[in-house]
Structures are given as structure tokens and as C-alpha cells.
Amino acid sequence: MTTTASPVENTTRQRIIDAALRLIAERGYRGTTVGQIEEAAGLTPRAGGLYKHFASKREVLAAAMVQRTEAIDQVVTTLRQAVRDTPVEDLRSELETIARSMLREFENERTLLRVAMKEGDQFPELRREFYDRFPRRGYAEAQRWLVATGERHGRAPADPEGMTAIVFGGLVHYHLMQTVFDEPPPGVDEDRFVDAWVEATATLLRSWGVANPSDPKEATA
Amino acid sequence: MTTTASPVENTTRQRIIDAALRLIAERGYRGTTVGQIEEAAGLTPRAGGLYKHFASKREVLAAAMVQRTEAIDQVVTTLRQAVRDTPVEDLRSELETIARSMLREFENERTLLRVAMKEGDQFPELRREFYDRFPRRGYAEAQRWLVATGERHGRAPADPEGMTAIVFGGLVHYHLMQTVFDEPPPGVDEDRFVDAWVEATATLLRSWGVANPSDPKEATA
DNA sequence: TGCCGGGGTAATCAATCGATTACCATTGGT
DNA sequence: ACCAATGGTAATCGATTGATTACCCCGGCA
């Protein structure tokens, strides 16, 4: 019996996949040699052992991306569970839990994101697969949550897609900044960012329940 | 007399820089050969003409990044001017103008961003340079604007850095999604996104003038 | 025990690529 | 007209790299 459900097998094939993904995330596809992958997988460099398991270097990347993007379904499910299990009593606590859960899951997928970033142009089908599995499904889930929560606190947003892009895009942005530049937005560590996000999101949720934001009348001093 | 101030010279050196940056943004540094750069610059492929102008392939990228990142100062100045020249009468119009100006300038720098994304790990000094010139300065400018505008409409945000990351991070996010995935957030084209951003930002600005958001009292139906 | 196949290694091939060198065509100054 | 510099080309070197082939070690099985 083969237990393919095991999260981390230690077969040579799996070590090759893991090593390849890690190295390609760092150095890019062309910047990673088969010899480096073999060495990182515990084989003799440039001895061709990789070709006992894959037909070509490109197939290693393809297999790795397929395996990991399929695992993303689990990530989305995990997030949905985390949100469902969050107590509803205090809106701010709920928002903070959601923000931290999402940022944590983003971090788990950072390697995959880096590969998609660097090689998306060269492997459009891999980018498309990643986009459909992660951003697209993630936004869809987020939008459901946003509408439901908005209704619980007054009414749903007038433009659910737009508001989802704003509210959850903020979290995506925080993660992308770190992935692209190896630094968060200037002067904003994670705690501070989460606080600000909770604050802003709570304000937005409140605003839908209080007045119609498309009302042209400005409310200032 | 050499007019180095001209924005687009047509010297061979400049054509090499432009071609290299465009190709590297697409294919990455290792994925771009000197022959391809020469060909795209109108020279004979693999004839070594590039080396009449640069000592090595790496120096081409270095020179290109230095030239373009220095030009970013001009972009930031342009944005500051655009914001200054925006009429203050109508907050929503002002916000829309700002959003569209920023998205447009982001697009102008997309090539540079793609290079920084793909090669930032391999050329940390180039990434640092880009980060300091664009995100860091951009956020600093944005924060000044946000505080000033907040004060005009009531009071400044309690956490300027955090709110800047939220408000302008939203715009950055929209651009990054398109750069990384070649698609905007699902179901949100630019007009819709700008509308949502204007709506959300106006709401946030208003909230600072109305009540202290750190007040723990929830305001719902 | 004898065999057989999966999986690892050594060695090598052919292609590609960064870099170098020698050469030449054009141009502007004297 | 001559010369020197600028900038482009042809040809080539040496290193790297993806891929291939021959070999072999070892464990399960009849």
C-alpha cells in the first residue's frame, strides 16, 4: 500500500522536487543547474541521477508545481476552517485572527509564490494554475466572508468585488512587499500592520451599516 | 558637448541598456544571452559588439538599473506635482486623480519592477537601490499627503505609517497583482478598483474626523 | 544460489554561452 | 592625404550544462 497522503515522504523523487523548488525560488529556473538539484537532493552532482526519476529538468519543475498547487486546496480549506472557528463576539478579535491566519498561510506558500513570480512568464500554464488555485479561490472565499460579515454588522458592501480587493488586497500587499523586496512596507512591522488593517476594516464594515457611502454629501468638520 | 539629459538617446549604448532591461524583465538574467541583447539592440548576434560598450553582461544590468532607478526620482517628483495641482474642493475627485496618477506611474516602471522581482535575490544591491528609491520614498510622500489630508478633513490618523500601508498598499497591491500574475484581482478592472479605493479611502479619512477609531466601543446596528 | 531490475555513479557528448582577440570600415581632425 | 579613434564583425577559446550511455551495487524472489 502506498500512502501518497503523507505530507513529507523521503523518497529520492520527493527530495528532488523539494530541492528543485527551493533552488528555483532562489536562483530562477535557468539559474539552477541539474547538478545543484542533485547535490541538494543528496545525489552525486552531475551524475545524472535526476534522470532516473524525471525525463528532464523542466519536468521536475512541472511535477513540483502540480504537487504544490494541489496542496493549496488544503490551505484554502484550512483558512476557511480557521475563519469559521473564530468567535464572532468581538469583531476586532475576529479580524485580527483572520489577518494573522492569512499572513501565516501566505508565508507557508512563499516558496511557490517566488517561483510563480520569477518563472511565470516562461511557464504561463504554471502561473495560471497557481493563480486559479490561490488568488482566485482565495478572493472568492474572502468575498463570501466579507459579504456575510457586512450583513451581520449592518449591510453588505455595495461593491463586493471591489471591497474585497481593497480589504484583502491589503493583506496580500503586505506579503508581496516582503516577498519582492525582502522587507515590509517602511516602518510597519507585522503587529503594527495587523492593528492598522483591523482598524481600517472595522471602520469600513461599520460604514456600510451606518450610511450609504455613495452619498455625495461629504461629512467633515 | 554631450547632452546626457536627453530622455531617450539613440546611441548604441542606450539601445543595449533598453534591450537588456526588456529582455531580462521577460526572461531573467540567466535566461537572457548576450547574443539576444546584441540582436535586440541592432547588432550582430554573438559578435561581441556589446563588449565595446560594457565590460560584461552584468555591467549592462548594473548600468541599466542605475540609470532607471535614478530616473525614478523624477517619477516621484511628477507624482508630487500631480497631487499638488489637484483641486482640493472635492475629496473624491482628488482621490481619484491621485489613484489614477499613481497607477499610471507604476505602469511606467513595470519593467524595472519585474527585473527587481526576478533578480532581486541575485543582485541584492540593485533591489535595495530600487526599494529605497521607489517604495520607501513613495511611502514617505504618501504618508505626508495622508496626514495633511486627514488634518484638512478633521484630524490625522492615529497610526500614520500603518494607515499609509493600508491605503497606498491597496494601490501597490493592485499593480503587483498584474505584474506577478498578469491579471488584476478577480472581477475587478481598473475603473472598479479605483472607485472602490476612493470609496474606502474617503470613508477612512472621514472616520478620523468623526470618532477615535481606537475607541473599543463597537458601532453597529 | 542465481538472476533480475531499480536506483545510483562515472564518463562523455553536443550544444550553448560569456568572454577575448584580431580585423576592418567609417569618420573627423590636422 | 594621412592618421588615430570609434565602433562594428568574424572567429574562436574555455567553461558550463542538459542530456545520454554504460556500468555496477544491492536487495527481493524463485
Side-chain angles (χ1 to χ4, degrees):
Chain A
M1 166 182 171
T2 54
T3 47
T4 53
S6 172
V8 184
E9 313 176 26
N10 198 15
T11 64
T12 301
R13 183 186 161 89
Q14 189 58 44
R15 287 202 313 277
I16 290 175
I17 285 182
D18 295 342
L21 215 54
R22 179 170 55 82
L23 289 174
I24 292 173
E26 268 179 37
R27 314 172 185 184
Y29 179 79
R30 294 288 302 268
T32 305
T33 72
V34 173
Q36 288 167 351
I37 297 174
E38 287 170 336
E39 184 166 28
L43 301 183
T44 303
R46 287 198 57 73
L50 180 143
Y51 294 98
K52 295 288 180 181
H53 302 271
F54 299 94
S56 68
K57 176 184 172 186
R58 184 179 176 125
E59 282 210 2
V60 179
L61 176 57
M65 290 297 282
V66 166
Q67 184 181 99
R68 296 293 181 97
T69 50
E70 281 176 358
I72 285 181
D73 292 352
Q74 187 57 44
V75 171
V76 175
T77 304
T78 299
L79 273 176
R80 185 161 38 195
Q81 282 296 341
V83 170
R84 221 197 294 282
D85 296 348
T86 301
V88 194
E89 3 170 312
D90 180 7
L91 176 61
R92 279 189 168 73
S93 317
E94 185 181 357
L95 289 175
E96 179 170 349
T97 301
I98 288 172
R100 293 200 186 274
S101 299
M102 291 190 68
L103 289 179
R104 205 177 318 129
E105 293 300 331
F106 288 173
E107 269 180 35
N108 292 340
E109 304 306 324
R110 176 162 286 158
T111 299
L112 209 53
L113 173 62
R114 290 171 78 199
V115 173
M117 263 177 30
K118 292 188 177 180
E119 306 304 329
D121 292 316
Q122 305 305 311
F123 304 92
E125 70 286 359
L126 298 185
R127 168 164 66 185
R128 156 68 53 185
E129 181 78 10
F130 183 74
Y131 178 79
D132 285 344
R133 296 260 182 175
F134 206 11
R136 186 185 289 278
R137 284 197 55 196
Y139 274 93
E141 292 286 337
Q143 183 174 328
R144 264 191 284 278
W145 176 87
L146 196 64
V147 169
T149 307
E151 283 169 349
R152 276 211 316 279
H153 288 265
R155 71 175 79 167
D159 177 0
E161 282 84 6
M163 275 304 150
T164 303
I166 297 287
V167 168
F168 287 90
L171 291 172
V172 172
H173 153 260
Y174 187 78
H175 186 258
L176 280 175
M177 283 293 291
Q178 293 185 66
T179 303
V180 173
F181 296 113
D182 210 30
E183 302 212 28
V188 185
D189 64 11
E190 178 166 320
D191 285 342
R192 193 168 186 178
F193 178 80
V194 170
D195 283 351
W197 185 83
V198 167
E199 200 49 57
T201 303
T203 299
L204 290 174
L205 282 169
R206 224 165 29 200
S207 78
W208 303 328
V210 172
N212 186 351
S214 56
D215 187 333
K217 179 167 54 181
E218 297 285 342
T220 61
Chain B
M1 167 182 170
T2 55
T3 47
T4 52
S6 172
V8 185
E9 312 175 28
N10 198 15
T11 64
T12 300
R13 182 186 162 89
Q14 189 60 43
R15 287 200 313 278
I16 290 175
I17 285 181
D18 295 342
L21 216 53
R22 178 170 56 81
L23 291 174
I24 292 173
E26 268 179 38
R27 315 172 185 186
Y29 179 79
R30 293 286 302 265
T32 304
T33 71
V34 172
Q36 289 166 349
I37 297 173
E38 288 171 335
E39 186 167 26
L43 300 185
T44 303
R46 286 197 59 73
L50 180 144
Y51 295 97
K52 294 288 180 183
H53 302 272
F54 299 94
S56 67
K57 178 184 171 187
R58 184 178 177 124
E59 282 210 2
V60 179
L61 176 57
M65 289 297 283
V66 166
Q67 185 180 97
R68 295 292 182 97
T69 51
E70 281 177 356
I72 286 181
D73 292 353
Q74 187 57 44
V75 171
V76 176
T77 303
T78 299
L79 273 175
R80 186 161 37 196
Q81 283 295 339
V83 171
R84 220 196 295 281
D85 295 348
T86 301
V88 194
E89 4 172 312
D90 180 6
L91 176 60
R92 279 186 167 74
S93 316
E94 184 181 358
L95 289 175
E96 179 170 350
T97 301
I98 288 172
R100 293 199 186 276
S101 300
M102 290 189 69
L103 290 179
R104 202 178 319 129
E105 292 301 332
F106 287 173
E107 270 180 35
N108 291 342
E109 303 305 325
R110 177 162 285 157
T111 300
L112 208 54
L113 174 62
R114 290 170 78 200
V115 173
M117 262 176 31
K118 293 189 177 182
E119 305 305 329
D121 292 316
Q122 306 305 314
F123 304 93
E125 70 287 359
L126 297 185
R127 170 164 64 186
R128 158 66 54 183
E129 181 77 10
F130 183 74
Y131 178 79
D132 284 344
R133 296 260 183 176
F134 206 11
R136 185 183 290 278
R137 281 197 56 196
Y139 274 93
E141 292 287 337
Q143 183 174 329
R144 262 192 284 278
W145 176 87
L146 195 66
V147 169
T149 307
E151 283 169 349
R152 275 211 316 277
H153 288 264
R155 72 176 79 168
D159 178 1
E161 283 84 5
M163 275 305 149
T164 302
I166 297 288
V167 169
F168 286 91
L171 291 172
V172 172
H173 153 258
Y174 187 78
H175 186 259
L176 280 176
M177 284 293 290
Q178 292 187 67
T179 303
V180 173
F181 297 112
D182 210 27
E183 303 213 29
V188 185
D189 64 11
E190 177 165 322
D191 285 343
R192 193 167 186 180
F193 178 81
V194 169
D195 283 351
W197 184 83
V198 167
E199 200 49 58
T201 304
T203 299
L204 290 174
L205 282 168
R206 225 166 26 201
S207 79
W208 304 328
V210 171
N212 186 351
S214 56
D215 188 332
K217 180 169 51 180
E218 297 284 342
T220 60

